[in-house]
């Protein structure tokens, strides 16, 4: 049985400039995408705020209380090591310290749990985390 959960997304009308007329955040049911495809999950669940490139400039970013994080610099900001445990924790239960404003970021752990069993939810978090790892910029590419 599929259950819908409200998640932070902007209506497709943003592509047509609706944000300029109404900057309030719209809520929409989460679309279920394959748990094995981190890139597709990122595009579906994260890109509206963090941008398709992960740099924090998504279509909904201007409506957030705090700027969306640049997810391509996570390793750089953590001493050159990708903080997989922190990313997993943040995806499962955002807090005011791990994500600037927990009201802006949905608790993907509870959303993903509603899309299947706990193993599927953990697989989603893992594969999304690994996709974020793949987006990291090296020191030489950020100069």
């Amino acid at each position: 049985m599929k259950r819908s959960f409200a998640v932070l997304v902007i209506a497709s009308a943003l592509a047509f400039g609706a944000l300029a007329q109404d900057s309030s955040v719209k809520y929409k049911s989460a679309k279920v995408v394959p748990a094995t495809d981190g890139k597709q999950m990122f595009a579906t669940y994260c890109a509206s705020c963090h941008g398709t490139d992960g740099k924090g400039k998504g279509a909904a970013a201007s409506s957030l209380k705090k700027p969306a994080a640049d997810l391509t610099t996570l390793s750089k900001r953590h001493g050159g090591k990708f903080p997989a445990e922190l990313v997993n924790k943040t995806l499962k239960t955002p807090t005011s310290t791990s994500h600037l404003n927990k009201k802006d970021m949905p608790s993907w752990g509870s959303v993903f749990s509603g899309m299947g069993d706990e193993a599927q939810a953990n697989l989603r978090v893992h594969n999304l985390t690994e996709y974020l790892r793949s987006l990291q910029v090296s020191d030489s590419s950020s100069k």
Side-chain angles (χ1 to χ4, degrees):
M1 178 170 119
K2 290 184 182 176
R3 297 185 313 184
S4 296
F5 292 88
V7 296
L8 178 68
V9 294
I10 296 297
S12 60
L14 286 176
F16 302 105
L19 185 59
Q21 298 167 6
D22 179 9
S23 64
S24 63
V25 175
K26 308 287 187 242
Y27 290 87
K28 186 175 168 182
S29 295
K31 176 183 173 186
V32 179
V33 298
T36 56
D37 191 339
K39 183 176 183 176
Q40 187 176 2
M41 284 190 293
F42 183 85
T44 302
Y45 307 129
C46 311
S48 61
C49 295
H50 293 284
T52 56
D53 60 1
K55 293 183 181 274
K57 304 293 183 198
S62 64
S63 67
L64 300 175
K65 290 174 180 55
K66 304 271 183 163
D70 179 347
L71 300 176
T72 67
T73 61
L74 290 168
S75 292
K76 185 177 177 183
R77 290 183 276 138
H78 288 87
K81 184 176 190 293
F82 182 73
E85 188 175 319
L86 176 64
V87 171
N88 275 284
K89 184 178 179 182
T90 302
L91 287 170
K92 289 180 180 178
T93 311
T95 65
S96 58
T97 56
S98 64
H99 197 274
L100 296 174
N101 186 333
K102 65 182 177 181
K103 291 182 181 180
D104 281 342
M105 183 167 160
S107 173
W108 289 108
S110 58
V111 174
F112 293 158
S113 291
M115 295 178 179
D117 61 21
E118 201 60 31
Q120 284 289 310
N122 288 333
L123 179 63
R124 288 177 184 285
V125 169
H126 172 77
N127 288 333
L128 191 48
T129 298
E130 289 307 306
Y131 179 70
L132 291 175
R133 183 189 307 268
S134 77
L135 293 181
Q136 300 310 292
V137 295
S138 65
D139 285 335
S140 61
S141 66
S142 61
K143 292 181 182 176

